[in-house]
Amino acid sequence: MSTCTSVSRDFDEPVSATAATARTWLLLEQPGPWGAKALTSSHLDPALGRALETAAKDTGVRIVLIRRPGRHADRRMPASRRVYAAHTVPGNVWLHGATTSDPEKLLDLDFAALGRGDHHTFDAVLGGSPHDGDPLALVCTNGKRDRCCALLGRPLAAELATSGVEGVWEVTHLGGHRFSPTVLVLPYGYAYGRAEAHTLKQVLHGAGEGRIVVEGCRGSSAWERPGQAAELAVRTATGEYAAEALSVVRTSGAAPRWEVTVAHADGRRWQVEVAQGAALPPRPESCGASVLGSPARMDAVAVREMRMTTALAS
């Protein structure tokens, strides 16, 4: 059976620079079934879901629902829920967790502050504290958005959980159905496509030590797509895998070409030329798509280290 995932794989479509963009992720546990737009089509009060969507709009915060892997008991009112917030911008990466019996408390959060990387509102409103466990692995499993996420994501989440990997959750939406199984790893915010259990265990082990695995990486959610392409290109060119070593500090230009400046924490800088093209031939961008598309792809076509005097001048 041909699916959007199998076609993308057959065409060898690159996964780089396809990650969803969010400076801050807010995760709310919601057991039971999810609809295509889970915040308003699950057992979460749809009025609350709409209010959360409105509160988070244009703040840099992305809200998703999570649930434990396995069979999903149709429980409408869980006694308590896990809530996480994670900020992914290098230099201020953090992951805090909390438990609440009243998800409406999330409306008391200062979403603009969360988007800027300030966790104090999360801690004060929800009694949150730094997460001291293993990195979180969020596996997209929402078959109502795309069947590939359920067919490929749920077995991956189950395999990871049964093999003893801590921090595994199913998540409602990470984008890029055709790269299923798709996974987001927190706190650093790097996404992965076409994930397999053995490679994802390496990714999580690396994240636990503050290292990024670039194989299969879709990019960091902290950056827009040209920045994702540029940062991964610098990592590949230099062999720099420390999670918070690199930042995208400047992006100039517009589609189909950008100049992106990537800075190292030690002061080095690189100028990366990123070109946008179309993934050809046309293919289904999701299994629910009624027409074929040519999704945009981002390619780093040149990576140049800047002399320190030039970098300082810019």
Side-chain angles (χ1 to χ4, degrees):
M1 177 179 63
S2 178
T3 63
C4 66
T5 299
S6 63
V7 172
S8 176
R9 188 187 296 270
D10 289 345
F11 287 156
D12 198 24
E13 182 181 356
V15 303
S16 173
T18 64
T21 301
R23 295 191 302 272
T24 301
W25 292 84
L26 182 61
L27 322 175
L28 172 62
E29 183 179 5
Q30 177 58 60
W34 298 330
K37 295 183 178 180
L39 276 179
T40 54
S41 55
S42 67
H43 287 166
L44 183 70
D45 180 353
L48 173 58
R50 285 190 292 270
L52 289 170
E53 287 179 335
T54 299
K57 187 176 180 181
D58 299 326
T59 64
V61 178
R62 188 178 180 113
I63 307 174
V64 292
L65 303 182
I66 57 174
R67 64 191 177 196
R68 290 295 189 183
R71 294 176 64 96
H72 303 304
D74 196 5
R75 295 184 296 132
R76 291 182 178 274
M77 295 295 289
S80 64
R81 311 163 190 248
R82 287 297 294 168
V83 187
Y84 295 97
H87 190 62
T88 62
V89 178
N92 186 32
V93 169
W94 50 261
L95 171 61
H96 284 214
T99 302
T100 185
S101 58
D102 181 10
E104 289 197 7
K105 284 186 176 181
L106 272 65
L107 291 175
D108 295 330
L109 296 173
D110 184 338
F111 282 86
L114 279 174
R116 293 192 301 268
D118 183 350
H119 55 71
H120 292 95
T121 175
F122 182 86
D123 297 345
V125 170
L126 297 171
S129 60
H131 175 70
D132 59 3
D134 291 339
L136 301 187
L138 309 178
V139 184
C140 187
T141 62
N142 191 352
K144 294 296 185 182
R145 292 196 69 96
D146 193 283
R147 61 181 176 176
C148 287
C149 296
L151 291 172
L152 300 174
R154 291 193 65 187
L156 173 63
E159 181 178 354
L160 291 169
T162 55
S163 66
V165 176
E166 300 291 337
V168 181
W169 293 86
E170 298 185 4
V171 67
T172 48
H173 185 46
L174 297 177
H177 318 297
R178 62 192 184 281
F179 303 121
S180 295
T182 62
V183 183
L184 177 73
V185 177
L186 295 175
Y188 299 113
Y190 284 81
Y192 291 83
R194 304 185 186 124
E196 299 179 357
H198 69 283
T199 55
L200 194 57
K201 289 177 182 179
Q202 297 172 2
V203 168
L204 293 169
H205 178 73
E209 297 182 341
R211 291 182 292 102
I212 300 303
V213 174
V214 298
E215 288 79 13
C217 188
R218 299 178 60 193
S220 165
S221 74
W223 318 124
E224 298 292 338
R225 291 188 62 189
Q228 294 175 17
E231 190 238 27
L232 288 176
V234 172
R235 288 194 181 279
T236 300
T238 63
E240 176 57 83
Y241 304 121
E244 295 189 69
L246 300 178
S247 295
V248 175
V249 296
R250 186 169 183 264
T251 301
S252 60
R257 222 160 188 87
W258 296 266
E259 291 287 341
V260 181
T261 303
V262 178
H264 195 287
D266 65 11
R268 287 179 291 161
R269 291 193 173 202
W270 293 264
Q271 196 79 38
V272 184
E273 185 178 347
V274 177
Q276 176 179 304
L280 297 173
R283 77 285 310 275
E285 295 186 51
S286 72
C287 287
S290 58
V291 296
L292 300 181
S294 298
R297 55 179 286 174
M298 302 286 167
D299 295 298
V301 296
V303 178
R304 178 176 60 88
E305 185 169 359
M306 304 167 67
R307 293 189 303 174
M308 192 63 70
T309 53
T310 303
L312 292 174
S314 65

